[in-house]
Amino acid sequence: MARDDADLRDGIAELLPRLRRFARSLTNDPVDADDLTQLCMERALSRLDQWRRGSKLDSWMFGIMKNAWIDEVRYRKRRAHVFLAPEAGERTGAEDENIELRVRAMEVERAMADLPDEQRLAVSLVLVEGLSYRDAAEVMGVPIGTLTSRLARGREALEAKLAGDEGGGT
């Protein structure tokens, strides 16, 4: 059993880059994303006994993260305040060799942030993280048809927003 736990922990560690990317798409803030990733890791490691052998580890972890974020959003609404970390303005005006790529990445990030939560979650899980429709629907707790609908609307909204950013709304 100890070897199984070690293998499971290794699998969780391998998912860390994908979890961080998913957290950034959920939170729209790098500091919040790091906190969310840490919380997700803590919850997963403390609940290894809840993982069903044979199920997909990434889907389980994304589900934990989604639920942790929902808890955080609810908490923030109750407290009616959200703090922006002082580091948020650190690189303002800094020279960057790849400024065009960074600008485009920021445009995509802004367009993703403008999506309704359910569409942003669908786009993040399927298009960014590469989960199958079935696995993404399971993480979101919705039927596959609902997922595909949200994904289609999210894609259309992103395309429209990014086309508008490129040159005046073609």
Side-chain angles (χ1 to χ4, degrees):
M1 192 61 154
R3 183 64 196 153
D4 288 343
D5 279 355
D7 290 342
L8 188 54
R9 289 172 197 263
D10 289 344
I12 290 171
E14 289 173 12
L15 286 172
L16 192 55
R18 292 179 62 201
L19 290 168
R20 289 188 77 221
R21 186 173 52 230
F22 183 54
R24 286 193 78 161
S25 72
L26 287 174
T27 65
N28 295 315
D29 179 76
V31 174
D32 284 344
D34 288 342
D35 290 345
L36 180 60
T37 302
Q38 180 178 345
L39 178 61
C40 176
M41 297 297 280
E42 289 172 4
R43 285 186 182 180
L45 291 172
S46 69
R47 299 171 182 159
L48 289 177
D49 59 320
Q50 294 179 6
W51 181 68
R52 293 182 318 239
R53 194 167 308 289
S55 64
K56 296 187 96 181
L57 183 59
D58 58 353
S59 296
W60 184 65
M61 293 294 296
F62 289 136
I64 291 171
M65 182 170 283
K66 177 199 71 147
N67 291 334
W69 182 242
I70 289 170
D71 292 346
E72 177 65 19
V73 168
R74 288 178 182 155
Y75 170 79
R76 288 179 180 188
K77 284 181 181 175
R78 282 192 309 268
R79 298 291 176 213
H81 62 74
V82 178
F83 296 103
L84 185 60
E87 299 85 26
E90 270 182 3
R91 292 196 37 90
T92 304
E95 289 187 31
D96 191 341
E97 296 173 1
N98 298 317
I99 194 70
E100 290 178 17
L101 290 175
R102 289 180 53 83
V103 167
R104 189 63 178 160
M106 289 187 320
E107 290 170 354
V108 172
E109 191 174 327
R110 274 194 307 272
M112 284 284 289
D114 288 344
L115 291 176
D117 290 343
E118 67 274 357
Q119 290 176 16
R120 185 173 64 245
L121 187 58
V123 168
S124 295
L125 289 171
V126 175
L127 299 180
V128 178
E129 296 306 328
L131 263 64
S132 69
Y133 283 18
R134 182 176 42 104
D135 292 338
E138 182 179 315
V139 168
M140 293 178 65
V142 299
I144 290 178
T146 301
L147 171 82
T148 56
S149 175
R150 290 176 180 178
L151 183 59
R153 288 193 316 270
R155 280 180 178 157
E156 289 173 7
L158 280 175
E159 288 174 3
K161 175 71 174 163
L162 293 173
D165 285 346
E166 285 177 353
T170 30

